[in-house]
């Protein structure tokens, strides 16, 4: 198991928790000291009160929680937030309200989920030719619907 150090920047912050034994993402909690209302079509940065020390070679990916995304229309504005291993600032979630109604986030409410994952660092090499494949340049629906 990989250990990730965290620091509470606010004494009321809640450490990330897993909802079940096999959950891939750990829940992140709002740490606002009160309710925050996000108007329809609006994006607001929601504080977690935490900073992380993600190990080198790993990244933290912030995803929507399915419950508030499907039921209330709230999801990260950038779809997936990326936390680099060298970032030590507060983890904040830019929540966007896709619904037609104002939505209120309660203090200490679960607002997103965090997945810590390894990644590959690559060297990009410019070339004049790329290898051929069966698919070639086909994109956006080129492989059909069924």
């Amino acid at each position: 198991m990989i250990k990730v150090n965290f620091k509470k920047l606010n004494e009321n912050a809640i450490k990330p928790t897993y909802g079940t034994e096999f959950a891939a993402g750990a829940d992140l909690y709002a740490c606002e000291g009160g309710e925050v209302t996000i108007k329809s079509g609006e994006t607001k940065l929601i504080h977690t009160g935490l900073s992380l020390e993600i190990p080198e070679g790993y990244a933290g990916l912030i995803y929507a929680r399915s419950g508030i995304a499907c039921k209330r229309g709230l999801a990260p504005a950038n779809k997936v937030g990326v936390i680099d291993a060298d970032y030590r600032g507060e983890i904040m979630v830019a929540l966007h309200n896709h619904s037609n109604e104002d939505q209120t986030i309660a203090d200490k409410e679960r607002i997103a989920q965090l997945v810590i994952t390894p990644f590959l660092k690559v060297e990009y090499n410019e070339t004049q030719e790329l290898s051929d494949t069966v698919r070639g340049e086909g994109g956006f629906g080129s492989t059909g619907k069924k």
Side-chain angles (χ1 to χ4, degrees):
M1 180 175 293
I2 302 292
K3 294 193 185 247
V4 174
N5 293 327
F6 72 92
K7 179 180 177 182
K8 282 189 173 186
L9 304 173
N10 181 312
E11 65 183 18
N12 297 316
I14 300 173
K15 95 176 198 181
T17 61
Y18 290 98
T20 67
E21 179 183 2
F22 299 110
D27 292 325
L28 294 174
Y29 296 80
C31 185
E32 291 287 338
E35 293 182 342
V36 174
T37 298
I38 306 172
K39 295 181 180 186
S40 176
E42 184 179 48
T43 299
K44 280 202 177 169
L45 282 175
I46 307 297
H47 295 261
T48 67
L50 301 174
S51 59
L52 300 174
E53 186 178 328
I54 298 171
E56 185 178 335
Y58 291 81
L61 303 178
I62 297 177
Y63 294 100
R65 291 193 72 250
S66 59
I68 67 170
C70 294
K71 295 176 184 174
R72 296 171 54 198
L74 295 171
N78 53 347
K79 307 305 177 208
V80 178
V82 178
I83 306 167
D84 298 314
D86 59 349
Y87 177 67
R88 294 294 184 270
E90 182 178 6
I91 305 304
M92 295 195 291
V93 179
L95 274 185
H96 182 77
N97 183 354
H98 295 277
S99 79
N100 293 324
E101 299 176 7
D102 294 354
Q103 298 291 329
T104 299
I105 296 293
D107 191 36
K108 300 183 181 175
E109 180 177 345
R110 294 175 296 166
I111 56 170
Q113 56 183 322
L114 172 67
V115 175
I116 304 294
T117 186
F119 66 89
L120 298 174
K121 192 81 171 192
V122 301
E123 179 180 333
Y124 291 93
N125 184 40
E126 184 175 357
T127 183
Q128 298 302 312
E129 296 293 326
L130 300 176
S131 62
D132 289 329
T133 66
V134 172
R135 183 175 183 174
E137 294 182 14
F140 297 112
S142 66
T143 60
K145 290 184 179 182
K146 293 186 181 184

